[in-house]
Amino acid sequence: METHISTTPFGRRPMTLGMISSQVAAKAMPADLTVHKWHVFQNIKEARGALGATDRALAILDALLSFHPDTALYGDSELIVWPSNEQLIGRANGMPPSTLRRHLAVLVECGLIIRRDSPNGKRYARKGQGGEIEQAYGFDISPIVARAAELKELAEVVRAEKRAYRVVKERLTICRRDIVKMIDAGIEEGVPANWGRVQQTYQAIVGQIPRTAPCQVLEAITAKLEDLWAEVREVLESFVKTKNMSANESHIERHIQNSKPDSKSESESGLGNRDEADGNVADTDNVRSLPKRELPLGIVLDACPNMLWLVKGGGGIRNWREFLAAAEVARPALGISPSAWEEARTAMGGQQAAIAIAAIYQRQDQINSAGGYLRSLTDRAKAGKFSVWPMVMALLRAKLDASKTTGTGSEAEAAAVDLETAGKVVRTENRLEISDALRRSLDKPGRRS
């Protein structure tokens, strides 16, 4: 007589249509179907969110599968395992019995196992005379064989969603980084644009990013950021192209002028009669008599206070690195081309070139062409006939003269102290001294700032 197969749970557990659906699927699976149980289990782990399974439930399913001796599961084989709760707890890392029962119910609800309960709810197997199992009561794992193809497709969908989410997160991160750095570059290089509005637009878009968001939401936000990225990029590229065209025209113009022996270049005609401070080159021809030591940063800032206007947030300049950064901002404001700036740094050194820029920026209202003036200084530096000392000394003397003329007594004294400090240039153990040649140059009665 054929043994009746249990289809309802023992005790107070109710029967549901989901249980019947799992039993129908298991009954309809082909007899020749073969799956690798651990491959199917891997698909279940990846698709657990879509299935509604928990991590603890998967730990129990892992233990249940380990009680089946075969790795390959067949559609026509016996797929019921009957471990006791104690055995399951041991293989499920010692979870409490109440947790075990709760997550076994989750596996049943997800349609991954079927309960085959005995009349008294115990799990066991009855063997025949030949030792073969005639009837088993426990958990039927045939649903994972019957649903193997479905579980594989579901896992592939989940993997594709994860890939798409990872890609959109990468796009979002890169786009945010690009926009922030392009805005900073535009501000630093003096590119004409309403950067305040651009920053506000960027902050408004970024503010829409939730802490946890589905892929579709991130796609929409990333699309907005990419549109903003395209706008900022177009502004910067247009500015670069315009500057390149201007640089090419200037290069062609200089080439034509230099090919005429009777004509003078811009630096020769407009600036050749200037010295490094304000125009008298003859007074500073003897560069060898000038100090060889570096100018202290404090003295340079006293002579060129306008450089402090270029510091973000109105802060001070604390070191040479910040001074060089301020010079990088002053350079485009003066209309000095990148090529002229690069030549100056090569000929003078970065620090000396930055001091020259600061002196030009301080006297920009008295210089017709800052770019031509810097090129003239660069040519003199290449010939070994240039030093930044006379420029700074002249600016300090102008500051002192202005204080004597229009300032109060205390201001005049402060300016005098600045000039006296600037004059002490030869470092000893505890103080600085001035060279005789520089003192004679500074004390000339006819020298004006």
Side-chain angles (χ1 to χ4, degrees):
M1 182 178 66
E2 184 179 355
T3 304
H4 179 74
I5 300 176
S6 172
T7 58
T8 57
F10 172 78
R12 297 181 180 179
R13 300 188 190 95
M15 182 68 180
T16 64
L17 292 178
M19 294 180 185
I20 295 177
S21 177
S22 298
Q23 294 168 8
V24 170
K27 187 176 181 181
M29 68 177 175
D32 59 348
L33 182 61
T34 305
V35 299
H36 192 295
K37 67 178 180 181
W38 299 121
H39 292 173
V40 180
F41 180 69
Q42 180 64 32
N43 292 333
I44 293 173
K45 285 199 300 182
E46 295 186 7
R48 63 181 180 274
L51 292 171
T54 61
D55 293 340
R56 290 291 187 90
L58 292 184
I60 296 171
L61 180 61
D62 186 11
L64 286 174
L65 291 175
S66 69
F67 281 104
H68 196 283
D70 299 329
T71 300
L73 303 180
Y74 304 95
D76 58 350
S77 61
E78 186 66 35
L79 298 175
I80 297 177
V81 293
W82 54 92
S84 64
N85 282 355
E86 289 76 12
Q87 290 173 317
L88 274 177
I89 289 173
R91 294 198 185 183
N93 302 322
M95 68 176 60
S98 58
T99 303
L100 176 68
R101 291 191 293 269
R102 185 168 64 254
H103 290 287
L104 279 171
V106 171
L107 290 175
V108 175
E109 291 173 3
C110 292
L112 296 176
I113 61 173
I114 299 173
R115 288 184 179 274
R116 303 293 189 186
D117 290 343
S118 66
N120 60 1
K122 301 294 183 179
R123 301 179 202 125
Y124 59 89
R126 182 183 297 112
K127 296 182 180 180
Q129 293 180 352
E132 296 181 355
I133 296 176
E134 293 183 347
Q135 181 66 41
Y137 297 100
F139 298 106
D140 189 350
I141 59 175
S142 60
I144 70 170
V145 179
R147 300 178 62 187
E150 173 195 348
L151 295 172
K152 182 178 180 180
E153 293 178 0
L154 191 58
E156 289 176 351
V157 170
V158 172
R159 283 193 290 266
E161 291 177 352
K162 287 182 178 180
R163 283 195 299 270
Y165 186 82
R166 185 168 58 252
V167 169
V168 73
K169 285 283 287 184
E170 291 174 355
R171 287 170 51 205
L172 179 63
T173 300
I174 293 174
C175 199
R176 291 180 64 177
R177 182 186 67 198
D178 286 354
I179 291 175
V180 169
K181 293 198 173 186
M182 286 194 298
I183 291 175
D184 289 343
I187 295 174
E188 291 288 343
E189 296 291 341
V191 179
N194 190 349
W195 296 114
R197 181 193 63 79
V198 175
Q199 288 179 323
Q200 291 176 357
T201 304
Y202 170 75
Q203 293 296 337
I205 297 175
V206 173
Q208 300 174 7
I209 304 176
R211 185 177 296 274
T212 56
C215 186
Q216 293 79 4
V217 174
L218 293 182
E219 281 282 359
I221 295 175
T222 303
K224 295 179 181 179
L225 283 176
E226 287 177 342
D227 291 341
L228 181 62
W229 179 93
E231 294 178 9
V232 176
R233 184 74 179 184
E234 183 179 359
V235 171
L236 296 181
E237 288 182 354
S238 299
F239 182 75
V240 169
K241 292 177 181 178
T242 302
K243 290 189 66 177
N244 288 340
M245 291 177 62
S246 300
N248 290 337
E249 292 173 358
S250 176
H251 175 74
I252 294 171
E253 181 180 356
R254 288 197 304 273
H255 177 73
I256 294 174
Q257 291 174 348
N258 292 336
S259 64
K260 298 178 181 179
D262 295 335
S263 64
K264 293 185 178 180
S265 66
E266 178 187 9
S267 60
E268 291 174 338
S269 61
L271 301 169
N273 60 346
R274 294 175 179 264
D275 71 345
E276 287 82 350
D278 67 347
N280 295 322
V281 178
D283 292 341
T284 58
D285 276 342
N286 191 8
V287 179
R288 289 177 295 179
S289 66
L290 297 174
K292 302 302 181 183
R293 301 184 183 276
E294 294 183 357
L295 273 165
L297 177 60
I299 294 177
V300 176
L301 293 177
D302 286 338
C304 309
N306 290 355
M307 291 294 286
L308 298 175
W309 301 348
L310 304 174
V311 181
K312 288 184 177 180
I317 296 177
R318 296 163 295 184
N319 49 53
W320 284 111
R321 181 177 59 81
E322 294 180 355
F323 185 80
L324 291 173
E328 291 282 0
V329 178
R331 192 267 307 163
L334 291 169
I336 297 174
S337 66
S339 60
W341 172 232
E342 186 62 31
E343 289 178 12
R345 287 194 299 178
T346 302
M348 306 177 191
Q351 187 170 309
Q352 303 299 311
I355 296 174
I357 289 286
I360 296 172
Y361 189 74
Q362 188 69 26
R363 288 291 188 85
Q364 58 180 312
D365 56 335
Q366 302 175 21
I367 298 175
N368 294 329
S369 174
Y373 188 18
L374 182 63
R375 288 188 183 277
S376 176
L377 299 181
T378 301
D379 292 340
R380 295 182 58 78
K382 292 178 180 179
K385 298 180 179 181
F386 171 74
S387 172
V388 294
W389 278 92
M391 302 180 74
V392 175
M393 294 300 106
L395 290 171
L396 286 173
R397 184 173 292 279
K399 183 178 179 181
L400 176 59
D401 292 344
S403 299
K404 288 180 179 179
T405 304
T406 61
T408 62
S410 60
E411 292 174 345
E413 291 175 2
V417 170
D418 289 340
L419 184 57
E420 181 182 359
T421 302
K424 299 176 180 180
V425 295
V426 180
R427 181 178 298 277
T428 61
E429 180 176 355
N430 296 316
R431 68 188 189 87
L432 298 171
E433 297 177 351
I434 187 170
S435 66
D436 293 337
L438 180 58
R439 183 183 288 108
R440 288 194 301 271
S441 176
L442 292 175
D443 291 340
K444 288 182 180 180
R447 183 181 181 87
R448 297 192 304 273
S449 60

